[in-house]
Amino acid sequence: MASVKIGILAFQGAFEEHKRCLENAWDKLGSNATLDIIIVKRPNDLTDLDGLILPGGESTTMSKFLERNNFQKLISDLVKGHNGKLPVTWGTCAGLILLANTIGGIDVTVNRNTYGRQNESFEASLMLTNDELKGNNGINGNIYHGVFIRAPGIVSVDSNRVEVLAELTNIDHQVRPVAVRQGNLLATTFHPELTDDDRWHKYFLQMVLERGIPH
Ligand SMILES: NC(=O)CC[C@H](N)C(=O)O
């Protein structure tokens, strides 16, 4: 039977939570393929992935791990399609910082710890700006409850290349993108793996399925 291989980078951070959410979301998609989740700790674990998640955590610590075993170049080549295969890659929080700064590939500028010490962690209602994500969630389908933990801010996007999927209105009425997509790359400044709303994990898995499963 065909299988979909999703790796979760597991040096540090919220990788177990992503695994649980992927399994729940997968069951609801009703695909005939099986889901194979790889906890990525060694370069070999990156072989043949259809999707890759770079979880939240501490981006400076994760960057240090990436320097070992040539990991940074391997992942960078992978997300840019240099090896032929182009897995769908999703960075959450610190994972977004890696995608924008360390690994590269996504054309956004991020500012670390943008919400400041006094507002280190908070929850907020986000406005979804993408129809697929709104899904079938009743009249409030365009609202998503986001969990932010020392979150980065997306301060600018290359609007020719990057689609904004969700926005947050700050108390000063400034509207900021908090989730973006660029081709095979997805990035969120918040933590969908810490909520029961599985729309982001479904969206990611659908991005993977849309590319076709060659195994
Ligand atoms: N929850 C997170 O991933 C926090 C990210 C952290 N502030 C960093 O810069 O690495």
Side-chain angles (χ1 to χ4, degrees), residues 88-102:
V88 172
T89 302
W90 178 13
T92 52
C93 203
L96 156 64
I97 299 171
L98 296 180
L99 271 185
N101 298 345
T102 312

Side-chain angles (χ1 to χ4, degrees), residues 56-60 92-94 97 112-113 149-150 191:
E58 187 55 51
S59 58
T60 41
T92 52
C93 203
I97 299 171
R112 287 185 64 199
N113 302 319
I149 304 170
R150 294 186 298 285
H191 289 264

